[in-house]
């Protein structure tokens, strides 16, 4: 044990931590006088506008209706205005007042952002024919958005956007491999600013319609006290285990990350509690910070919010929100389980202990308590689900109102139940572990708005924006009423009217905080839209594909590694939403294009998840590693070493994208039955734990090199058994093109057919690639191909593409007229790939036997098996 374990106070004061969050998320300025009032009213107005826009009220009363483009413009007006007033120009700029030049810039920037709203009708009447005023407004608007982005987020995203803007206009002067004819000012400004292809594109639209409401929901939930509740519960449940504070850090960061859109804010919020306690039980400053960094970074990958990226994926991938969170759930779960296990291994290696508990329950008591809780939750779920189903049939249109009353009654009942237990401590220093039972019961009502949000999203299938609206409205009700209700139920003599005023103040503060949290996201999605616009205008994505294919030499694995590294570089210093927009726009098409030309065909969601994972890992990857710098400020450790250690912990996360590219079952794709699902989950969890043990060099005892390599081999086999089966039985067989109709006819419902096409593009370049076409419902082969948009003719013994239907799947796969269908690929008949689980499990038990003997002979009492965690 080092003497560092006695250092339990944060290296940075609470005021400095609050200032760190302010600089990162809400703006570092805190002026006085009229300026303070403006920075209070403007965010509040923004929050009220977003609630109005998301609600059904405009349609009910037929007033205040805005189309999506107008709403995006208004959204950006608020974001730009607040970026110039809330964020100082430089670190040395004044923070206690707003200089005159910033007022002027904020007004000019806001007017330029609002130009689309003010002159919407005029612009709609002259598309593609901008006037001089249009061009001036566009140039000024782009410049001011870039400066707002620099203030709110630092220079990385601004530099990326400027590079792509420069590439758009300086195309003829670029090196030959990436040169293009360039764009005129008229064409460029029309594309980037006056249409929805650039700055006012999909990204800003998702920020306007969905992201704001979810960020507001998270801010209000934090203001209500849910963040502190999650932390206390995590410590109550896990703080007594080996390295307990670190395990609690992982769990609390995961819970906070569910509704957080910022890894840095997550680090600072939970790290204030967890990092000093990790150091107290024996973690070094760097390792304590690294655990918090890895936990908080992974929160951005966790459904249902995924740092607001889940909603962008809906638009970019073209699937439903439920499908997005379904695909993302298992990788996030096993990644967090592996991090808990890594922490356990670190504790075992150093023989750490947990924090002491007041009462140690017997095993049978813990088991009975768990079973009783599980049964009660199951019964409650069934009653609620079928109860609401019955109400819809019985009460029809009145059901929502009755349901609202029942939810309010349930909330009041849980508040009444909570006052039987001590109020949760809000200090950042935990000297003694809280009791699990009272801690959990003291805040159960915090789960009601979260449950309402999940219900609206998954059961009622409301849009994400409308779901977040209803959950936020209910959360506003909670903020106003929780303190008065507690005063009434406790009969403590507290001033109920005073508690009600406090509730209103908390509600307004939560709304203002939520709006200020959105400043960076608002300008980031706008600036990232410029990158997307440059990609669509110049075709740079195709150039990147050619470069990556040339460097990788056609090897799929090299291509994926190179793409991962580029995604890491592009993601450095970018907030989660902008990070995803940039890497998905630039790198996702590379995997799709290059992969298809080399026989790798994967679902688009897997490709987007791949680049997103590596983009997010930039938060804990030096030299930028913003989350690592935030953690180091609390722990007092070296930020670069903290980032390196955090990345070492996150190797398990870095390996996952490669695995689900080749084994899409990890994304819940291709799961055919409930037992197939159970096998997939069980093997994935076991594989990730073994991979963690292999990379940490410790399992039941300290591992020898060959044992670590063997554990990694077992993990790889459990993750991807098909790799070994492919060497024995090829997964696909090639059949002549003339059999395409019979192959298409024999495919099951909604299956895809793989076909090899050859031809020339418009520039005379040879095309030879494999594409996948969805076949839809069972029918004759000709009809199924026609439904996919493909009509063929036979010519000199060859099958030639005769017609490609506009907007069809075939057109989206970039199949063109007169391409030749060279061959068709169909699945081979082969034994189940899961047979390779058998030798892997036998090797695993062999390692267990060897390590157990060595541990017993060495007298090492540390037990590090997964079940002991």
């Amino acid at each position: 044990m080092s003497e560092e374990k006695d250092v339990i106070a944060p290296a940075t004061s609470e005021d400095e931590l609050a200032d760190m969050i302010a600089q990162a998320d809400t703006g570092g300025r805190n002026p006085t006088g009229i300026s303070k009032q403006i920075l209070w009213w403007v965010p509040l107005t923004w929050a009220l506008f977003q609630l109005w826009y998301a609600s059904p009220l405009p349609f009910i009363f037929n007033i205040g209706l805005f189309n999506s483009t107008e709403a995006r413009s208004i959204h950006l007006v608020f974001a730009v205005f607040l970026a110039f007033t809330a964020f100082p120009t430089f670190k040395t700029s004044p923070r206690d007042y707003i200089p005159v030049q910033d007022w002027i810039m904020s007004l000019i920037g806001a007017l330029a952002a609002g130009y689309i709203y003010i002159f919407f009708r005029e612009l709609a009447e002259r598309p593609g024919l901008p006037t001089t005023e249009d061009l001036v407004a566009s140039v000024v608007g782009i410049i001011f958005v870039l400066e707002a982005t620099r203030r709110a987020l630092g220079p990385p995203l601004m530099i990326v956007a400027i590079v792509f803007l420069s590439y758009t206009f300086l195309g003829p002067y670029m090196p030959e491999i990436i040169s293009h004819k360039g764009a005129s000012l008229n064409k460029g400004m029309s594309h980037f600013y006056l249409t929805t292809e650039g700055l006012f594109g999909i990204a800003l639209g998702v920020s306007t319609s969905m992201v704001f409401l979810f960020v507001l929901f998270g801010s209000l939930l934090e203001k209500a006290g849910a963040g502190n509740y999650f932390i206390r519960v995590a410590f109550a449940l896990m703080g007594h285990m080996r390295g307990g504070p670190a395990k609690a850090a992982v769990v609390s960061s995961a819970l906070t990350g569910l509704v957080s859109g910022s890894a840095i804010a997550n680090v600072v919020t939970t790290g204030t509690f967890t990092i000093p306690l990790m150091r107290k039980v024996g973690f070094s400053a760097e390792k304590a910070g690294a655990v918090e960094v890895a936990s908080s970074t992974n929160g951005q990958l966790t459904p249902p919010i995924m740092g607001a990226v889940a909603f962008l994926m809906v638009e970019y991938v073209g699937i439903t929100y439920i499908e997005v969170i379904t695909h993302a759930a298992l990788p996030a779960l096993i990644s967090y389980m592996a991090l808990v296990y890594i922490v356990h291994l670190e504790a075992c290696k150093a023989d750490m202990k947990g924090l002491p508990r007041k009462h140690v329950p017997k095993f049978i008591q813990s088991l009975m308590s768990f079973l009783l809780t599980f049964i009660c939750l199951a019964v409650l779920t069934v009653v609620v689900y079928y109860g609401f189903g019955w109400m819809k049939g019985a009460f029809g249109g009145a059901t929502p109102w009755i349901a609202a009353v029942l939810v309010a009654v349930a909330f009041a009942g849980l508040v009444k139940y909570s006052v039987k237990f001590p109020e949760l401590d809000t200090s950042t220093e935990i000297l003694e572990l809280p009791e699990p039972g009272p801690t959990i019961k003291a805040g159960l009502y915090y789960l009601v708005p979260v449950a309402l949000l999940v219900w609206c999203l998954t059961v009622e299938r409301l849009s994400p924006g409308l779901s977040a609206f209803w959950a936020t409205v209910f959360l506003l009700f909670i903020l106003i009423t929780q303190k008065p209700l507690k005063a009434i139920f406790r009969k403590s003599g507290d001033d109920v009217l005073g508690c009600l005023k406090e509730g209103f103040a908390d509600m307004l503060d939560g709304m203002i905080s939520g709006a200020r949290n959105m400043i960076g996201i608002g300008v980031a999605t706008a600036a990232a839209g410029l990158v997307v616009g440059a990609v669509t205008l110049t075709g740079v994505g195709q150039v990147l594909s050619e470069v990556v294919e040339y460097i990788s030499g056609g090897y799929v694995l090299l291509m994926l590694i190179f793409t991962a590294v580029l995604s890491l570089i592009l993601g450095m210093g970018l907030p989660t939403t902008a990070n995803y927009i940039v890497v998905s726009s630039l790198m996702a098409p590379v995997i799709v294009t290059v992969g298809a030309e080399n026989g790798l065909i994967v679902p688009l969601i897997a490709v987007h998840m791949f680049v997103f994972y590596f983009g997010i890992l930039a938060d804990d990857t030096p030299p930028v590693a913003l989350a690592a710098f935030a953690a180091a400020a609390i722990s007092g450790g070296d930020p670069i070493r903290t980032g390196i250690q955090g990345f070492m912990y996150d190797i398990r996360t870095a390996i996952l994208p490669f695995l689900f590219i080749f084994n899409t079952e990890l994304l819940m794709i291709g799961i055919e039955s409930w037992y197939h699902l159970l096998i997939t989950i069980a093997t994935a969890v076991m594989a990730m734990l073994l991979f963690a043990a292999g990379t940490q060099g410790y399992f039941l005892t300290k591992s020898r090199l060959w044992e670590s390599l063997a554990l990694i081999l077992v993990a790889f086999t459990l993750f991807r058994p098909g790799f070994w089966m492919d060497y024995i039985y090829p997964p696909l067989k090639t059949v002549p093109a003339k059999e395409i109709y019979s192959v298409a006819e024999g495919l099951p419902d909604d299956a895809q057919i793989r076909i090899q096409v050859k031809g020339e593009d418009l520039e005379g370049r040879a095309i030879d690639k494999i594409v996948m076409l969805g076949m839809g419902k069972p029918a004759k082969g000709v009809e199924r191909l026609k439904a996919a948009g493909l009509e063929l003719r036979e010519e000199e013994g060859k099958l030639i593409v005769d017609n490609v239907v506009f907007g069809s799947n075939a057109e989206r796969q970039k199949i063109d007229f007169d391409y030749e269908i060279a061959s068709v690929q169909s699945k081979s008949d082969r034994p189940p790939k899961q047979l390779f689980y058998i030798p892997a499990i036998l090797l695993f038990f062999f390692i267990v036997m060897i390590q157990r003997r060595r541990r017993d002979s060495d007298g090492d009492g540390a037990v590090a098996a997964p079940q002991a965690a």
Side-chain angles (χ1 to χ4, degrees):
M1 292 281 193
S2 69
E3 60 183 8
E4 287 185 19
K5 64 174 283 185
D6 299 322
V7 182
I8 62 174
T12 307
S13 70
E14 289 187 34
D15 290 340
E16 289 173 316
L17 293 174
D19 184 59
M20 187 186 300
I21 297 178
Q23 291 183 52
D25 288 329
T26 62
R29 277 203 178 118
N30 188 22
T32 57
I34 187 66
S35 298
K36 183 175 184 178
Q37 294 298 315
I38 291 174
L39 285 184
W40 192 89
W41 280 104
V42 173
L44 179 61
T45 306
W46 190 10
L48 292 172
F49 164 76
Q50 295 289 164
L51 285 169
W52 175 265
Y53 177 66
S55 76
L57 296 178
F59 302 96
I60 294 173
F61 298 108
N62 200 31
I63 57 172
L65 287 165
F66 302 98
N67 63 40
S68 62
T69 305
E70 291 173 318
R72 293 174 193 183
S73 179
I74 296 171
H75 180 84
L76 189 60
V77 166
F78 281 109
V80 170
F81 180 85
L82 289 170
F84 282 103
T85 51
F87 288 87
T89 310
F90 304 105
K91 289 184 178 180
T92 56
S93 299
R95 299 189 180 188
D96 54 348
Y97 70 94
I98 303 174
V100 174
Q101 65 268 22
D102 283 357
W103 284 116
I104 295 172
M105 294 177 73
S106 66
L107 292 173
I108 295 174
L111 283 172
Y115 188 83
I116 301 295
Y117 171 71
I118 298 169
F119 298 102
F120 179 76
R121 294 189 181 278
E122 291 85 347
L123 290 169
E125 291 172 358
R126 45 183 164 82
L129 298 171
T131 63
T132 302
E133 291 79 9
D134 295 342
L135 295 177
V136 171
S138 301
V139 172
V140 171
I142 288 175
I143 291 172
F144 275 74
V145 164
L146 291 173
E147 169 59 14
T149 303
R150 184 196 66 79
R151 290 191 180 210
L153 304 169
L157 181 57
M158 180 196 71
I159 292 171
V160 171
I162 289 175
V163 167
F164 279 88
L165 283 171
S166 302
Y167 177 72
T168 301
F169 295 107
L170 302 176
Y173 307 102
M174 294 291 163
E176 184 177 353
I177 191 172
I178 60 171
S179 66
H180 62 97
K181 66 179 181 180
S184 65
L185 184 64
N186 277 13
K187 184 177 181 181
M189 290 304 104
S190 293
H191 187 82
F192 285 121
Y193 205 82
L194 302 178
T195 69
T196 55
E197 294 294 322
L199 193 143
F200 292 98
I202 290 175
L204 188 62
V206 172
S207 175
T208 305
S209 61
M210 303 180 201
V211 175
F212 189 103
L213 270 295
F214 280 91
V215 170
L216 180 61
F217 177 82
S219 176
L220 292 170
L221 200 61
E222 177 68 30
K223 191 66 181 179
N228 180 59
Y229 173 68
F230 291 151
I231 292 170
R232 301 287 164 178
V233 168
F235 272 94
L237 294 175
M238 307 190 75
H240 65 284
M241 300 176 179
R242 284 180 177 271
K247 293 174 183 174
V250 176
V251 174
S252 58
S253 294
L255 292 171
T256 306
L258 292 176
V259 292
S260 171
S262 169
I264 299 170
N266 200 342
V267 166
V268 176
T269 303
T270 59
T272 306
F273 293 85
T274 60
I275 290 175
L277 286 171
M278 281 189 270
R279 297 191 63 188
K280 181 178 180 181
V281 297
F283 281 87
S284 68
E286 283 77 18
K287 286 189 175 181
V291 169
E292 183 58 51
V293 167
S295 306
S296 300
T297 301
N298 274 233
Q300 305 300 288
L301 307 171
T302 308
I305 310 302
M306 297 169 64
V309 164
F311 317 112
L312 287 163
M313 283 189 177
V314 169
E315 299 295 330
Y316 285 159
V317 182
I319 59 178
T320 66
Y321 172 77
I322 301 299
E323 289 175 303
V324 170
I325 61 174
T326 300
H327 296 320
L330 183 56
L333 174 65
I334 62 178
S335 183
Y336 265 116
M337 291 180 70
L339 184 55
V340 171
Y341 186 48
I342 286 173
V343 166
H344 179 70
L345 294 174
E346 290 279 13
C348 288
K349 284 189 280 187
D351 195 24
M352 297 178 190
K353 307 298 181 184
L355 296 176
R357 290 192 290 185
K358 291 181 182 178
H359 307 290
V360 181
K362 295 180 180 178
F363 174 76
I364 191 67
Q365 291 176 324
S366 300
L367 181 62
M368 292 302 295
S369 176
F370 173 79
L371 289 175
L372 183 61
T373 303
F374 179 79
I375 292 170
C376 290
L377 286 174
V379 171
L380 180 63
T381 302
V382 171
V383 170
V384 171
Y385 184 82
Y386 288 102
F388 275 105
W390 170 80
M391 285 170 56
K392 288 178 182 178
F395 301 109
T399 301
W401 300 105
I402 298 172
V405 172
L406 291 176
V407 171
V409 170
F411 161 69
L414 288 173
V415 172
K416 186 175 182 180
Y417 182 62
S418 73
V419 299
K420 298 178 181 179
F421 307 97
E423 192 76 20
L424 294 175
D425 184 15
T426 57
S427 67
T428 58
E429 189 175 7
I430 300 177
L431 301 175
E432 190 176 62
L433 283 183
E435 289 290 320
T439 303
I440 293 171
K441 295 169 185 175
L444 282 174
Y445 61 90
Y446 290 127
L447 303 180
V448 179
V450 178
L452 177 62
L453 174 64
V454 174
W455 178 276
C456 291
L457 285 169
T458 60
V459 179
E460 297 298 326
R461 298 296 180 98
L462 301 180
S463 69
L466 191 57
S467 299
F469 168 76
W470 290 118
T472 301
V473 167
F474 182 63
L475 199 46
L476 295 174
F477 171 75
I478 288 177
L479 275 163
I480 294 171
T481 60
Q482 66 170 338
K483 289 182 178 179
L485 284 174
K486 285 184 177 180
I488 293 170
F489 293 140
R490 283 201 174 104
K491 300 178 182 178
S492 57
D494 291 344
D495 180 13
V496 175
L497 185 60
C499 290
L500 191 64
K501 289 180 179 178
E502 285 184 34
F504 268 106
D506 287 343
M507 180 194 73
L508 294 175
D509 285 346
M511 293 177 71
I512 292 165
S513 178
R516 291 187 66 160
N517 284 338
M518 271 301 299
I519 300 171
I521 296 175
V523 295
T525 50
L530 296 174
V531 177
V532 177
V535 172
T536 57
L537 185 59
T538 63
V540 67
Q542 181 64 36
V543 174
L544 271 175
S545 298
E546 292 174 358
V547 172
V548 170
E549 183 176 25
Y550 175 76
I551 294 174
S552 65
Y555 289 99
V556 170
L557 187 58
L558 281 179
M559 178 267 293
L560 291 174
I561 292 172
F562 189 63
T563 304
V565 172
L566 286 176
S567 297
L568 268 174
I569 295 170
L570 288 169
M572 287 182 178
L574 302 188
T576 303
T577 46
N579 190 322
Y580 169 69
I581 295 164
V582 171
V583 297
S584 64
S585 301
L586 292 173
M587 303 316 302
V590 171
I591 297 178
V592 172
T593 304
V594 180
E597 291 175 356
N598 293 278
L600 176 68
I601 309 291
V602 292
L604 192 56
I605 181 64
V607 174
H608 278 251
M609 291 286 289
F610 181 93
V611 296
F612 175 50
Y613 262 58
F614 281 102
I616 288 301
L617 285 177
D619 277 342
D620 64 5
T621 306
V624 179
L626 298 180
F629 276 83
I634 301 172
S635 69
D638 179 80
I640 299 298
R641 287 166 60 192
T642 299
I644 293 171
Q645 185 65 59
F647 184 76
M648 292 303 295
Y649 289 154
D650 261 341
I651 285 178
R652 86 224 180 278
T653 304
I655 204 71
L656 271 174
F658 289 97
L659 295 169
F660 58 59
I661 282 287
F662 293 104
N663 182 10
T664 54
E665 290 177 359
L666 294 174
L667 298 177
M668 302 293 189
I669 297 172
I671 302 295
E672 298 171 353
S673 60
W674 64 268
Y675 55 84
H676 188 184
L677 174 63
L678 289 179
I679 292 173
T680 300
I681 294 174
T683 54
V685 170
M686 182 178 177
M688 185 53 78
L689 297 184
L690 293 178
F691 180 80
T695 54
Q696 289 298 305
Y698 197 97
F699 184 43
L700 300 181
T701 186
K702 185 176 181 181
S703 299
R704 293 174 177 143
L705 178 60
W706 74 266
E707 291 171 341
S708 293
L709 294 175
L711 287 172
I712 293 172
L713 178 64
V714 172
F716 176 76
T717 303
L718 293 176
F719 268 128
R720 199 186 166 215
F723 177 83
W724 307 111
M725 185 62 76
D726 290 349
Y727 279 98
I728 303 172
Y729 295 95
L732 300 171
K733 60 181 179 181
T734 301
V735 299
K738 62 182 179 182
E739 295 185 24
I740 187 171
Y741 297 118
S742 60
V743 172
E745 189 169 334
L747 289 173
D749 190 12
D750 288 328
Q752 292 181 311
I753 187 171
R754 292 172 178 250
I755 58 176
Q756 179 188 7
V757 295
K758 293 182 178 180
E760 288 187 355
D761 62 13
L762 294 175
E763 297 178 3
R765 292 177 296 189
I767 301 295
D768 186 350
K769 62 181 180 179
I770 296 172
V771 299
M772 293 183 71
L773 294 180
M775 287 290 94
K777 302 297 179 184
K780 290 187 175 181
V782 175
E783 298 301 322
R784 296 189 82 174
L785 287 169
K786 187 177 292 186
L790 199 60
E791 296 181 26
L792 308 174
R793 70 177 187 273
E794 189 169 349
E795 188 177 289
E796 298 180 357
K798 298 179 180 179
L799 278 182
I800 306 298
V801 176
D802 193 44
N803 184 36
V804 178
V805 178
F806 178 76
S808 66
N809 191 10
E811 188 198 36
R812 286 193 292 272
Q813 294 295 332
K814 297 184 179 178
I815 300 176
D816 210 342
F817 297 97
D818 292 332
Y819 276 15
E820 177 193 352
I821 307 298
S823 64
V824 180
Q825 294 181 344
S826 62
K827 287 186 177 180
S828 302
D829 294 326
R830 61 179 190 169
K833 61 186 179 182
Q834 287 78 8
L835 287 175
F836 280 93
Y837 289 161
I838 297 173
I841 292 172
L842 290 175
L843 178 58
F844 164 69
F845 281 119
F846 177 67
I847 297 169
V848 169
M849 182 179 66
I850 289 177
Q851 290 212 355
R852 183 172 289 176
R853 286 180 181 174
R854 189 164 73 251
R855 183 192 64 191
D856 294 341
S857 64
D858 293 344
D860 182 1
V863 178
Q867 63 268 26

